[in-house]
Amino acid sequence: RYQRRVRDLHLFTMFPATFQKPLTPPTELPPVDLEDLEGSFMRVGDVLIEEACKAMAEGYDMPATEVDWIRNMLEYNVKGGKANRGTMVVVSAKLLWEHQGRTIDTDTLGKMCVLGWCIEWMQAWLLVADDFMDSSKTRRGKVCWYLREDVKTVALNDAFTIEMLVYKLLKNYFVGEAYYLQLLDLFLETTMQTEVGQLADTLCMNMKISDFSVDRWTYIVKYKTSFYSFYLPVALAMIVGGVTEVEAYCKAREVLVKMGVYFQAQDDFLDAFADPETLGKIGTDIQDKKCGWLFVHAYNDLASAAQQQMFDEHYGKCEVGSTEEIAIKELYKEFGLEQLYHEYEAKTKVECEAMMDQLDPATPRSIFEAFLNKIFKRQK
């Protein structure tokens, strides 16, 4: 009761414009077992879905029908991925605490899982919107949310709702922490960076493919993928861990963004060459006229004038599985893009390891090695 009164008073004094009534304190999180991180992380995720539904019912007088929609929508969209981004928050915190000579306690591990799920929910709303914009068919082995007969354009509102629920979770679990505003600032800035990348990506639809360059691809993936997928998990652990040195964040960002660019090159490579069942989705980059790693190297560096004309006639104008799409993939093989990609992959690993040698003493190399080991030569 005392903790609840303190929390309500904190909300009332910090945010009087939005305080309406005392709310039920956040549900106690299940214990986190680092030996079963995946299972522990999923159990925390189940609690957070119910926490979101409770917040909708209590704070917004939401009827049962809509609450059920929120629950089913979250179950469908925030689960089913590899959860690498989310679990890396926990792993980063564990390694940082060890570096600081501290033992991470159960309460902190639970909070790191909450932050990890905030990233997973952030990714979920981005994917729901992205699938709608790209006319994608499948996601994580299931039909895309917007393609369900009972969803369709409601998916857009659902994407916005998931985004707002991220900030509801942050407020519910961290409003009393001294670093709460830092968390908000980081999520807001990361969302802005991701939207900048998304804009550059979607505006490709209005451009000629001859304008797709390696530089444009790098710009897109740096902002669309790197910050939220790689820098955000580590920066969250650093904030909670009390790291305040600006140089530590700058050095961490530098190497993590480079990993993120490599990660997206992997995605582009797997879109064309991986088995859809293993990948969990059907690759649509050629159909969708994506400014992708394979295309920018093929078109700008390797294609003859006649082959460029073939790209001009069919890239972004053919359907998945069509003879034109198959022909483009065959060109990729003919150009030796598989070998070029593997050379790029090896070179990037060496460069990332060299950048780790320049990290600030406040951040342990082990965090970055864990990230790189998780993605290097991945198959999905």
Side-chain angles (χ1 to χ4, degrees), residues 69 72 76 143-153:
W69 179 274
N72 293 332
Y76 196 93
V143 64
C144 289
W145 180 243
Y146 81 95
L147 286 176
R148 285 182 36 151
E149 282 299 315
D150 59 336
V151 179
K152 297 183 178 178
T153 56

Side-chain angles (χ1 to χ4, degrees), residues 363-379:
T363 49
R365 182 188 178 99
S366 56
I367 292 177
F368 304 86
E369 289 176 334
F371 238 133
L372 186 58
N373 290 338
K374 186 175 284 287
I375 64 169
F376 186 63
K377 291 189 178 295
R378 68 186 175 96
Q379 299 300 312

Side-chain angles (χ1 to χ4, degrees), residues 52-116:
C53 293
K54 183 179 70 174
M56 294 295 97
E58 289 187 0
Y60 302 93
D61 305 318
M62 184 174 280
T65 300
E66 281 75 8
V67 172
D68 287 341
W69 179 274
I70 294 291
R71 179 181 292 105
N72 293 332
M73 179 266 293
L74 291 173
E75 288 281 352
Y76 196 93
N77 290 295
V78 306
K79 293 182 176 181
K82 298 181 288 294
N84 285 336
R85 295 166 182 83
T87 54
M88 277 308 298
V89 179
V90 185
V91 173
S92 297
K94 172 183 175 293
L95 295 173
L96 179 60
W97 263 244
E98 289 176 356
H99 180 69
Q100 295 171 340
R102 298 190 288 165
T103 301
I104 194 165
D105 57 60
T106 302
D107 180 63
T108 302
L109 284 172
K111 286 186 174 181
M112 301 316 294
C113 283
V114 174
L115 290 174

Side-chain angles (χ1 to χ4, degrees), residues 251-272:
K251 291 292 187 181
R253 186 186 301 112
E254 185 179 7
V255 62
L256 291 165
V257 165
K258 189 171 190 67
M259 285 188 203
V261 171
Y262 158 55
F263 178 84
Q264 189 59 55
Q266 286 180 314
D267 254 17
D268 294 351
F269 174 79
L270 294 171
D271 184 273

Side-chain angles (χ1 to χ4, degrees), residues 152-359:
K152 297 183 178 178
T153 56
V154 181
L156 290 178
N157 191 70
D158 288 338
F160 304 147
T161 301
I162 300 172
E163 180 186 15
M164 290 301 99
L165 285 171
V166 169
Y167 294 97
K168 183 59 64 177
L169 291 179
L170 288 172
K171 190 172 185 178
N172 281 359
Y173 283 93
F174 297 97
V175 70
E177 302 292 346
Y179 52 78
Y180 173 57
L181 291 181
Q182 289 192 60
L183 298 180
L184 289 183
D185 179 62
L186 181 59
F187 268 98
L188 288 168
E189 179 64 16
T190 305
T191 301
M192 186 73 248
Q193 289 163 332
T194 308
E195 289 305 314
V196 165
Q198 181 70 8
L199 176 64
D201 186 29
T202 53
L203 284 184
C204 287
M205 66 182 288
N206 297 331
M207 300 172 64
K208 297 178 181 178
I209 61 174
S210 56
D211 295 324
F212 293 0
S213 64
V214 174
D215 286 344
R216 181 170 183 84
W217 172 81
T218 304
Y219 173 77
I220 290 171
V221 303
K222 173 183 176 180
Y223 282 94
K224 183 179 178 179
T225 301
S226 294
F227 287 103
Y228 95 88
S229 296
F230 286 79
Y231 178 64
L232 181 57
V234 178
L236 288 170
M238 291 169 67
I239 287 172
V240 179
V243 177
T244 58
E245 297 87 349
V246 173
E247 185 68 11
Y249 288 96
C250 291
K251 291 292 187 181
R253 186 186 301 112
E254 185 179 7
V255 62
L256 291 165
V257 165
K258 189 171 190 67
M259 285 188 203
V261 171
Y262 158 55
F263 178 84
Q264 189 59 55
Q266 286 180 314
D267 254 17
D268 294 351
F269 174 79
L270 294 171
D271 184 273
F273 290 107
D275 174 51
E277 289 191 10
T278 302
L279 192 59
K281 64 177 181 179
I282 299 170
T284 62
D285 283 2
I286 295 172
Q287 171 186 281
D288 296 339
K289 192 187 167 186
K290 285 293 184 180
C291 179
W293 189 91
L294 294 169
F295 173 79
V296 296
H297 284 285
Y299 190 90
N300 294 294
D301 303 331
L302 302 169
S304 65
Q307 290 166 330
Q308 285 181 335
Q309 183 177 352
M310 183 267 202
F311 278 118
D312 291 334
E313 292 174 357
H314 300 299
Y315 194 81
K317 302 172 185 177
C318 59
E319 296 184 356
V320 171
S322 65
T323 55
E324 293 83 2
E325 190 211 37
I326 293 170
I328 289 173
K329 289 184 177 180
E330 287 301 315
L331 267 185
Y332 287 166
K333 293 178 180 178
E334 181 183 326
F335 291 152
L337 279 170
E338 288 182 86
Q339 179 61 31
L340 184 67
Y341 166 76
H342 290 308
E343 291 172 359
Y344 161 78
E345 184 173 50
K347 179 173 177 282
T348 301
K349 183 174 186 290
V350 171
E351 292 173 346
C352 286
E353 290 171 338
M355 293 168 74
M356 292 179 203
D357 294 334
Q358 307 302 317
L359 289 168

